[in-house]
Each structure stands twice: as structure tokens, then as C-alpha cells.
């Protein structure tokens, strides 16, 4: 077998012009880690400011820029790309048994587009700043804002092409590059999740692009689209924006669900319970996700009938999510459970995502939403999904595939400690915000009435713990690159094709194209391969 | 920290709904965390015996159907419960006191039917329905009254309606909850709920230069409306509707629109029609009405709308004076 993809040609040029999906995944990993750190600094400053009712360190203007920066960077430069472009890029061909993605050059182009969009956004955010929030509501953004709306909006426009390129690449690869014997129902559930995500990338992102271009036109040329004084309609912007941004919420959670399915199966040593239900629930989340956007507008002035219909669909979309949670629990039942760091993250995901999903029911319930929307309740709700859910899954996935990506084991004790600390810090940060929201504290306030201080201090304390916990993996992952134990090909005893090649894999992934003869998660087959008799348990039926 | 007060019967009903949601959530969370912990305790690696996979596979369809339908039934119940409480918000009682609220960066301007005006303060009587007619002079704001468990976005160029019957006297906080720029977090105000006697006293003591409708009547002449629209008191003659539709009896009547719909001419319709005159199908008036966008400020529009309402005497007389 030839050399690993990491060291085959170590020049900078070979990295920057690489078409190897694994190297592109690492380029992405470096970039989104930097953006995650930047967004995290924004979050830290926000929590520092809110220690005191009158604000501690930032002026109102700077605070407004800070939460806008935090939102824009975290959504478009970290969460939307996160799992798909790093773990997804690395794993899709390996899980399919393919040499690379269908369009390797397009894959590299998507990274360059991503970097260019990131730089444009950063230019806007730091040379002049932006204070519209990540939602860009008109006419604040199109007429009244004095911030750098145009560079940021154009940056996000460009970012969309990067997303679409990745989406197209995954869809075509999953259709065309499956190894012999790899039928749709033998695909790992991670690929079902990434497939559903890719469909959203391709169908929803263009609408965001169009919306932001119209916003740019209105701001530049005073074309009346959204501004009522020019004959436009400010609610039209919200309709179009959320038509993308609600499906984008599922872009930011489906890949996490895929990762959790993989981890839960491996660490319970059991096939995922209700495989087909979990697979199709990804697809139905993606589909129903397109018809719930109006639930962001229950108090915005949409008609009574729209509100009722959107509320009903919003309840529907949580059914497939509930199915997933119950199936993961069903997978654990009767398994052989190991609590390594990836499993701790996956269990954290299940718990926190459930809290996020249940509080989503509060917001789907029309009359309750009227009271809770636009308060800290909403802030807490979506952080439970995005951070408690997606970021936990992302970290779980990084730990799980770290041996495959780098050929080194991370230190297990530190991994477990960080996972536990993240869970604790996260809850301390965001649980108090549910209560703040019920009490009526509005979001995006630089200053607030003194009665809310205690809960804000608790939340900020949690954020401090969370910050430390997020830095820990950075340190021990870095350490493991040089001092970590050498990883075997299949350190967890997992079933996917990615574990049938070397750690780290050679550039061409597999010495010869693997042939798939069993369903996903067939541990009996795995044991047979290892040449061991299956001790005690019956073979897969 | 004191718990958020319930200042209306609606607030109490919302809290019961929220309590229901909390109970369901706790039950589900208990189930999820309970099963997770139980599974970990019972099925740790090295502690387990053989797994009956075949049985699990066989039963899986029944499990899937059971938890999917249980989830659906509970969700549908919640949906009906919450929707029913929401629909109420769209049906203000006909005898509600109408108060005009205009948001602008970064303050709330309040106008009462009696002509009283306030900034960042709203006074209402307890026990009587109040309808707020909300609009903005610039960006989108949101008028949020947590003690009443209600809020609504405030849009430029059109009226939104929010109504409530406060039942508890006292002072409560109001917030702008739609991010509106630099001073967003300082765009707060106070709602004061008073008993009927105190409210009447407050109305009398607050300075007012004529009721809102009187101010509106003067504007009706000064802005040239009376040149075309009949109002039964000014030229043209009460019966002359050749140039423009009569304003007498318009408020509360059904109006046919160009797109085929017929809607009730409420305060929002009157306000929006002055800014964007609607085309009336089948009507052939001698003059085309110009838009008054940028000509009349929101305070003026509120006064005009209040005046036009007085021209529909069949409806309950304007309350609150």
C-alpha cells in the first residue's frame, strides 16, 4: 500500500492545488476552526457585556456589531459548512468505497470560494462593522443601517456558491460512486443525512442568493423591493430570507444526526434500530423543512391562515426528529455500550437536541410563540439545537474519526473530560436563558433591566466554562499529532468501509475497490472478517 | 427577582398553556434521559449477555408505529390548544378603546382618542378592552408587553393591531423586541393600568388640544380631502360622489378590491388607503386620488382615521373620550 495522503507530497503548493478530498477536508478544517474561534471571541465579549445591566465593556454600537459578527460568522462560516465540508468531504468517498468525490476540482474550487467569501465578510465586519443582526431585516439593512451591508451580503452570496458546489458534489457522488454491492439501503446513515443536507444546499441556497442580491440592489440603486417608502414590502424580505434560513437550520442539524447514528451504533456494537425509519426521517426532515418558514413570522404581520398552516407543519417536522431520538435509544437497548469520548458527545447530543426540540414545540405553538419569540427563550432554543446539538456532534465526529484522519489516537481521558465539561458549561450558559425569555428579556439588548442580572451572571459563568472546554480539544488534538499513540486501521471495531483501509488512508483510499456484501452495521460480518468466531451472540439475521 | 406578573385573563391562559408544554417536555425528557441512563447501566460492555437481535428487528415496526402516532396525537392536541388562543388576537371587540402607537428610532409615541399624547408611556383602564393600532415611521419595531403575554411587530407604512383587556392595576414594562438599530435596548416604555375612576381623572388632567377626531376633521379640510370626498358637512354636497367615494358610513362597511376580494374597511384599511389609494373595480370617479405618503405624518394619519370612524354613526361611538 502506498504512502498516506498526509505525507505523499508535503509542499505547500501540493496542498493548495490538491484535488484529494481528504486534503481539502483538512483545508476546510483549518479555515472553519479559525472562524469558530473568531465567532467564539464574539460570544465571549457578548457574555462579558451582559454581566452588568448597564453593560460592562462595550458601547451599544459595538455590542450591536458584536452580536451581528457572532451570528454571521457562526452561521455561514462555521455551522453551515462544519460537518459537511470537513467530516463529509473526508468520509463520503471513503464510506462509498470510492477514490474521490465525483468532481475533485469543483471540490477545491468550493474551498477557494469559501475562503474568498470569508475574507469579504471579515472585511465588512472589521472595516466599518455591521449592526443589522445576521437576519438583515429590511428596511433597517436596506436603508437605515450605516454599517458595511454590501461587502458582508456579497460575501454571503459568494459563500452560497461554495455550499451549492459541495451539495452537487455529494449528490452526484452518492448516486454514481457507490462501491459494487453498496445499495441505497446499505449506505451508512451518515450518507443519508449528508444526501438530505445536500438537497437543501442545492434547492434553498439560490433563494438566499437572490434575496441578498435584491437587498444589495435596493441599497445601491434605491430600487423599491423591500422598502415601503419606495413601494416595496418589508415582509417580502422576511418571507424570502426564511425560505432559505429555515431549511438552513436543517443544514445545521441533519449532518449531526448522521454522525450520531454512526457513533451510537459503533459504541453499542449493534445495528441502528429502525435503519429505514432513521434514513427516511432525514429525507422527510429535509422535505418538510421547506414548508415551515412562516413560523418565524407569527408576530410579524403574516395572515392568520398562514400562521395556522405554518404552525401545523412545524409540529409535523418535529415528528421525524422524535423518531430519530427514539431509534437511537432503541439502538442502545440490548447493545454492548462503551462510553468513550465520541459516545459521550453523542449522548450529549441526544439529550441537548431533545431539549432544543421540545422547546421548539413551545415556539411552534402559536399563542405561546407570541409571548416567547424575540426573547432569550428563542436564543436558548436555537443554541440547544445548534451548539448543544450540532457542535456536540461535530466534536463527537472529530474524536471518532480523528484516528482515521491523522493516524493518531487522542488522549481518551482528556477527551471524556472535555465532553463532560462542554455538557455542563453548555447547560449553565443556556438553560438560564429559557427563564430570562419567559420573564420577557428581549434578545439583542446591549443593556437590560436590573431584575434580569442574576440569570445573566449565571449564563456568563457557564460561557466561561464552555470557553475553557472548547479550547481543551484544540490543545490535546494538537498534542496527539506528535505524541499520540499510532492508530490501528479500525480502533473502535466499527463497520463502515472507511475502517477497512489504513489510518491515515493512502491518497487513492483503497488498494482495490471494496465489495459490499452485507447491510450497514453488520457486526457479525465484521467479526467474521477479523477471523474470530462471534463470541456468544447470534449472527445478524 | 420577582416572577413575571399576569396582568390579564389572557396572560393566565397562556401560562396554563406554557405549564402544559413544560409538563409534556419534562415527561419526554425524563423518558429520554431515563432510558439513556438505564441502557448505560444495564448494557455496559463486558456486563451483558447475548443480544436478541432477531427479536428486536422483528418488533421494530410496531415500535416505530407506536411512537410516531403517540407523537402525532400529542402534537395535534397542542396545536389546537395554542391556535385557539392565538385566533383571539385577530378579533378585537367592537367596543375597544382605540389607541394609536407609532414607533420611531428609538421611542414610542402614543395618541389617545381624546387628543392626549405621550412618549414611552401607555395608560389604560382595567377591565376594558383596548385596541392598539401600531405603525412605524422608519424601520420595523415590535411592541411587546410581557405582563400581558402579547407582542406584535410594528411595520412602517401600515397598521398592525394588538388588543387586550388588562385586569390588574399597576405598572408594567414594555419593550421593543425587534432589533431596530443603535438605541434598540433603550426603546422601552411603561404600561400603567388604572381603575376606571383614576383613568378618567388621568385623561382629564393630561393636556389635550381637542380630541383626535377633531384634529382629524381639521386635517380633512386642510389636506384637501374634503375637496373630493363627501363627509356630509363640507362641500361638495353630501350626496355628490361623482369625484370620489363618500366617507359617510365607509368605516365598517365591506369594500370590493381590484383583486376580487371584499374586505371590511377597518382602521388599517383607512390608514393604508391614504398612503396607497386602492383601485376600486367598476368605479368611475372624476379624479384619481394621489398618495399621501411623505405628506402626512403618522400622527396626522391617526387623527384622520379617528375622524373617519366618527362618520359611521351606526357603529358604537368612539370609546374612551
Amino acid at each position: 500500500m502506498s504512502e498516506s495522503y498526509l505525507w505523499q507530497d508535503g509542499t505547500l503548493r501540493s496542498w493548495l492545488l490538491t484535488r484529494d478530498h481528504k486534503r481539502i477536508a483538512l483545508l476546510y478544517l483549518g479555515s472553519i476552526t479559525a472562524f469558530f474561534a473568531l465567532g467564539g471571541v464574539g460570544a465571549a465579549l457578548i457574555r462579558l457585556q451582559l454581566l452588568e445591566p448597564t453593560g460592562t465593556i462595550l458601547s451599544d454600537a459595538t455590542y450591536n456589531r458584536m452580536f451581528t459578527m457572532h451570528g454571521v460568522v457562526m452561521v455561514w462560516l462555521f455551522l453551515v459548512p462544519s460537518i459537511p465540508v470537513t467530516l463529509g468531504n473526508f468520509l463520503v468517498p471513503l464510506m462509498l468505497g470510492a477514490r474521490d468525490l465525483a468532481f475533485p476540482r469543483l471540490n477545491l474550487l468550493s474551498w477557494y470560494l469559501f475562503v474568498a467569501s470569508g475574507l469579504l465578510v471579515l472585511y465588512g465586519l472589521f472595516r466599518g462593522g455591521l449592526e443589522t443582526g445576521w437576519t438583515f431585516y429590511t428596511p433597517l439593512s436596506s436603508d437605515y443601517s450605516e454599517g458595511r451591508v454590501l461587502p458582508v451580503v456579497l460575501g454571503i452570496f459568494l459563500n452560497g456558491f461554495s455550499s451549492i458546489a459541495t451539495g452537487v458534489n455529494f449528490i452526484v457522488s452518492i448516486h454514481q460512486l457507490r462501491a459494487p454491492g453498496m445499495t441505497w439501503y446499505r449506505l451508512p446513515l451518515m450518507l443519508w443525512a449528508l444526501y438530505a443536507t445536500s438537497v437543501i444546499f442545492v434547492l434553498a441556497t439560490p433563494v438566499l442568493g437572490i434575496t441578498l442580491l435584491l437587498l444589495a440592489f435596493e441599497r445601491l440603486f434605491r430600487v423599491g423591493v423591500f422598502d415601503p417608502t419606495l413601494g416595496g414590502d418589508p415582509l417580502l424580505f422576511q418571507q424570502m430570507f426564511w425560505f432559505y434560513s429555515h431549511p438552513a437550520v436543517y443544514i445545521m442539524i441533519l449532518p449531526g444526526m448522521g454522525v450520531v447514528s454512526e457513533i451510537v451504533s459503533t459504541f453499542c456494537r449493534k445495528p441502528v434500530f429502525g435503519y429505514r425509519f432513521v434514513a427516511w426521517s432525514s429525507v422527510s426532515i429535509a422535505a418538510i423543512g421547506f414548508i415551515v418558514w412562516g413560523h418565524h413570522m407569527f408576530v410579524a404581520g403574516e395572515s392568520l391562515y398562514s400562521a395556522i398552516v405554518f404552525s401545523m407543519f412545524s409540529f409535523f417536522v418535529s415528528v421525524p426528529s422524535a423518531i430519530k431520538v427514539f431509534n437511537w435509544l432503541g439502538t442502545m437497548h440490548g447493545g454492548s455500550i462503551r462510553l468513550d469520548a465520541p459516545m459521550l458527545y453523542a449522548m450529549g447530543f441526544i439529550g441537548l437536541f431533545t431539549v432544543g426540540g421540545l422547546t421548539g414545540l413551545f415556539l411552534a405553538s402559536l399563542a405561546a410563540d407570541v409571548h416567547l419569540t424575540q426573547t432569550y427563550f428563542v436564543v436558548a432554543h436555537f443554541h440547544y439545537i445548534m451548539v448543544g446539538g450540532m457542535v456536540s456532534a461535530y466534536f463527537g465526529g472529530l474524536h471518532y474519526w480523528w484516528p482515521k484522519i491523522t493516524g493518531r489516537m487522542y488522549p481518551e481521558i482528556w477527551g471524556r473530560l472535555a465532553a463532560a465539561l462542554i455538557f455542563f458549561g453548555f447547560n449553565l450558559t443556556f438553560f438560564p436563558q429559557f427563564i430570562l425569555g419567559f420573564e420577557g428579556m428581549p434578545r439583542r439588548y446591549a443593556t437590560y433591566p436590573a431584575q434580569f442580572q442574576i440569570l445573566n451572571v449565571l449564563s456568563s459563568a457557564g460561557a466561561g466554562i464552555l470557553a475553557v472546554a472548547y479550547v481543551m480539544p484544540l490543545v490535546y488534538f494538537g498534542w496527539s499529532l506528535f505524541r499520540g499513540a499510532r492508530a490501528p486501521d479500525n480502533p473502535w471495531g466499527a463497520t463502515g468501509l472507511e475502517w477497512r483501509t489504513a489510518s491515515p488512508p493512502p491518497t487513492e483510499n483503497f488498494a482495490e475497490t471494496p465489495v459490499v456484501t452485507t447491510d450497514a452495521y453488520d457486526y457479525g460480518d465484521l467479526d467474521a472478517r477479523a477471523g474470530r468466531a462471534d463470541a456468544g451472540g447470534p449472527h445478524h439475521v | 427577582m420577582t416572577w413575571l406578573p399576569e396582568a390579564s385573563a389572557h396572560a393566565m391562559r397562556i401560562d396554563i398553556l406554557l405549564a402544559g408544554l413544560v409538563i409534556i417536555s419534562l415527561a419526554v425528557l425524563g423518558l429520554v434521559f431515563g432510558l439513556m441512563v438505564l441502557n448505560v447501566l444495564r448494557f455496559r460492555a463486558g456486563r451483558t449477555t447475548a443480544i436478541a437481535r432477531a427479536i428486536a428487528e422483528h418488533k421494530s415496526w410496531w415500535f416505530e408505529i407506536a411512537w410516531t402516532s403517540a407523537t402525532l396525537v400529542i402534537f395535534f392536541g397542542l396545536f389546537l390548544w395554542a391556535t385557539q388562543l392565538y385566533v383571539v388576537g385577530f378579533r378585537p371587540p367592537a367596543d375597544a378603546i382605540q389607541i394609536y402607537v407609532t414607533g420611531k428610532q428609538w421611542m414610542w409615541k402614543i395618541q389617545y382618542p381624546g387628543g392626549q399624547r405621550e412618549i414611552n408611556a401607555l395608560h389604560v383602564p382595567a377591565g376594558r378592552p383596548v385596541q392598539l393600532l401600531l405603525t412605524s415611521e422608519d424601520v420595523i419595531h415590535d411592541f411587546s408587553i410581557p405582563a400581558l403575554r402579547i407582542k406584535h411587530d410594528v411595520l412602517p407604512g401600515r397598521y398592525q393591531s394588538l388588543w387586550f383587556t388588562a385586569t390588574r392595576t399597576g405598572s408594567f414594562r414594555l419593550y421593543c423586541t425587534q432589533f431596530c438599530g443603535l438605541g434598540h435596548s433603550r426603546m422601552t416604555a411603561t404600561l400603567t393600568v388604572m381603575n376606571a375612576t383614576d383613568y378618567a381623572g388621568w385623561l382629564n388632567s393630561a393636556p389635550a388640544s381637542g380630541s383626535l377626531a377633531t384634529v382629524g376633521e381639521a386635517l380633512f379640510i386642510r389636506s384637501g380631502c374634503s375637496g373630493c370626498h363627501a363627509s356630509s358637512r363640507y362641500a361638495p354636497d353630501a350626496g355628490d360622489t361623482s369625484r370620489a367615494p363618500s366617507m359617510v358610513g365607509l368605516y365598517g362597511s365591506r369594500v370590493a378590491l381590484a383583486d376580487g376580494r371584499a374586505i371590511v374597511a377597518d382602521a388599517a384599511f383607512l390608514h393604508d388607503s391614504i398612503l396607497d389609494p386602492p383601485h376600486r373595480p367598476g368605479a368611475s370617479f372624476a379624479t384619481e386620488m394621489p398618495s399621501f405618503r411623505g405628506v402626512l405624518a403618522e400622527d396626522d394619519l391617526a387623527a384622520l382615521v379617528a375622524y373617519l370612524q366618527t362618520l359611521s354613526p351606526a357603529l358604537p361611538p368612539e370609546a374612551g373620550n
Side-chain angles (χ1 to χ4, degrees), chain A residues 60 298-299 327 337 371 373 445, chain B residues 43 45 64 86 151 176 186:
Chain A
D60 287 16
F298 288 158
V299 301
N327 277 299
I337 300 173
H371 176 53
T373 190
Y445 263 31
Chain B
F43 303 111
E64 301 293 348
Y86 178 77
K151 67 165 67 73
C176 174
R186 305 184 194 268

Side-chain angles (χ1 to χ4, degrees), chain A residues 27-47:
Chain A
L27 293 176
Y28 262 123
L29 180 65
S31 347
I32 71 165
T33 304
F35 287 126
F36 183 59
L38 179 67
V41 169
L45 290 173
I46 289 169
R47 285 315 326 165

Side-chain angles (χ1 to χ4, degrees), chain A residues 49 56-66 446-447, chain B residues 182 186:
Chain A
Q49 165 82 355
T56 52
I57 42 171
L58 308 174
S59 65
D60 287 16
T62 316
Y63 179 83
N64 295 343
R65 286 191 195 122
M66 202 50 71
T447 57
Chain B
L182 181 65
R186 305 184 194 268

Side-chain angles (χ1 to χ4, degrees), chain A residues 155-322:
Chain A
I156 297 168
F157 179 72
L158 206 55
N159 186 282
F161 286 92
S162 162
S163 297
I164 294 170
T166 301
V168 168
N169 225 335
F170 284 4
I171 291 175
V172 175
S173 302
I174 294 173
H175 273 278
Q176 296 294 324
L177 301 183
R178 281 172 284 132
M182 178 69 94
T183 62
W184 281 86
Y185 283 130
R186 284 179 180 172
L187 286 175
L189 287 164
M190 170 89 167
L191 292 184
W192 276 89
L194 285 175
Y195 185 86
T197 309
S198 302
V199 171
I200 308 178
F201 271 143
V202 172
L203 293 183
T205 316
V207 179
L208 175 74
I210 294 163
T211 313
L212 295 179
L213 270 197
L214 287 174
L215 169 58
F217 276 127
E218 180 164 294
R219 197 168 163 87
L220 270 178
F221 308 116
R222 315 293 304 137
V223 185
V225 183
F226 307 123
D227 188 341
T229 58
L230 301 171
D233 182 344
L235 282 187
L236 179 63
F237 178 85
Q238 295 178 31
Q239 302 276 7
M240 294 177 72
F241 181 82
W242 290 116
F243 183 85
Y244 162 80
S245 292
H246 197 80
V249 169
Y250 299 109
I251 291 177
M252 295 184 255
I253 194 67
L254 276 170
M257 294 170 157
V259 167
V260 169
S261 293
E262 298 300 316
I263 293 177
V264 168
S265 169
T266 297
F267 290 91
C268 296
R269 208 178 156 71
K270 197 165 155 265
V272 172
F273 190 84
Y275 171 97
R276 292 189 181 202
F277 284 87
V278 178
W280 281 102
S281 65
S282 289
V283 178
S284 36
I285 287 173
I288 306 174
F290 273 101
I291 49 173
V292 300
W293 79 88
H295 69 207
H296 295 270
M297 298 170 63
F298 288 158
V299 301
E302 74 179 342
S303 81
L304 174 61
Y305 304 103
S306 316
I308 291 175
V309 169
F310 280 121
S311 165
M312 194 165 65
F313 285 144
S314 306
F315 277 104
F316 284 161
V317 82
S318 38
V319 173
S321 305

Side-chain angles (χ1 to χ4, degrees), chain A residues 54 60-61 64 67-68 131-133 137-140 144 228-235 238 268-275 277 297-304 307-309 311-312 315-316 318-319 322-323 325-327 329-330 332-339 347-348 350-352 354-355 358-359 361-362 365-375 423 435 438-447 449-452 454-455 523-524 534 536-541, chain B residues 1-5 10 14-15 17-26 28-29 31-33 35-37 39-54 56-57 59-61 63-65 67-69 71-72 74-76 78-88 90-91 105 137-142 144-158 160 162 173-188 276 293:
Chain A
T54 51
D60 287 16
N64 295 343
F67 75 69
T68 304
E131 74 319 0
T132 60
Y137 273 18
T138 53
L140 179 67
Y144 290 84
T229 58
L230 301 171
D233 182 344
L235 282 187
Q238 295 178 31
C268 296
R269 208 178 156 71
K270 197 165 155 265
V272 172
F273 190 84
Y275 171 97
F277 284 87
M297 298 170 63
F298 288 158
V299 301
E302 74 179 342
S303 81
L304 174 61
I308 291 175
V309 169
S311 165
M312 194 165 65
F315 277 104
F316 284 161
S318 38
V319 173
I323 290 177
V325 169
F326 288 128
N327 277 299
L329 295 172
M332 290 175 76
H333 184 87
S336 171
I337 300 173
R338 285 170 294 159
L339 294 180
M347 286 166 58
I350 295 173
L352 300 178
T354 303
V355 176
L358 288 168
T359 50
L361 296 183
F362 287 59
S365 304
L366 285 168
D369 179 75
V370 170
H371 176 53
L372 298 172
T373 190
Q374 294 163 13
T375 69
F423 184 82
I435 304 168
F438 169 76
E439 291 287 311
M441 179 167 166
R443 61 191 288 206
R444 297 174 167 176
Y445 263 31
T447 57
Q451 75 204 68
F452 298 134
I454 298 171
L455 289 167
Y523 292 92
D534 191 7
H539 282 271
H540 180 68
V541 184
Chain B
M1 200 182 77
T2 52
W3 208 238
L4 183 67
H10 179 74
I14 296 296
D15 282 358
L17 170 66
L18 290 174
L21 281 158
V22 167
I23 290 168
I24 291 171
S25 302
L26 287 179
V28 175
L29 272 182
L31 188 73
V32 168
F33 275 93
L35 285 177
M36 211 146 54
V37 171
N39 279 334
V40 167
L41 292 179
R42 272 184 69 195
F43 303 111
R44 276 295 280 280
R47 198 177 293 182
T48 52
T49 49
I51 309 154
R53 280 203 196 99
E57 288 290 315
K59 277 187 181 167
S60 92
W61 272 86
F63 279 113
E64 301 293 348
I65 291 166
W67 58 51
T68 306
S69 27
T71 316
L72 264 174
I74 294 173
F75 286 3
F76 199 70
L78 282 173
F79 163 73
L80 289 179
W81 184 3
T83 301
Q84 177 207 337
L85 286 174
Y86 178 77
V87 170
V88 178
F90 284 77
R91 295 181 183 148
Q105 289 177 326
E137 286 185 4
D138 37 50
V139 301
I140 299 178
H141 302 279
D142 186 290
S144 163
I145 317 170
L148 300 170
R149 311 292 188 272
I150 54 172
K151 67 165 67 73
H152 206 290
D153 275 11
V154 179
L155 302 172
R158 69 177 80 165
Q160 304 288 332
L162 192 60
R173 279 180 191 279
L174 291 175
Y175 304 96
C176 174
T177 52
Q178 185 61 269
F179 182 70
C180 59
L182 181 65
H184 173 54
S185 65
R186 305 184 194 268
M187 193 166 164
T188 58
D276 296 301
R293 194 182 289 287

Side-chain angles (χ1 to χ4, degrees), chain A residues 91-98 182 188 190-191 262 401 497-498 510:
Chain A
L91 292 166
V92 168
L94 284 167
M95 287 180 157
L96 289 170
M182 178 69 94
M190 170 89 167
L191 292 184
E262 298 300 316
W401 282 291
L497 290 182
E498 76 269 29
F510 299 96

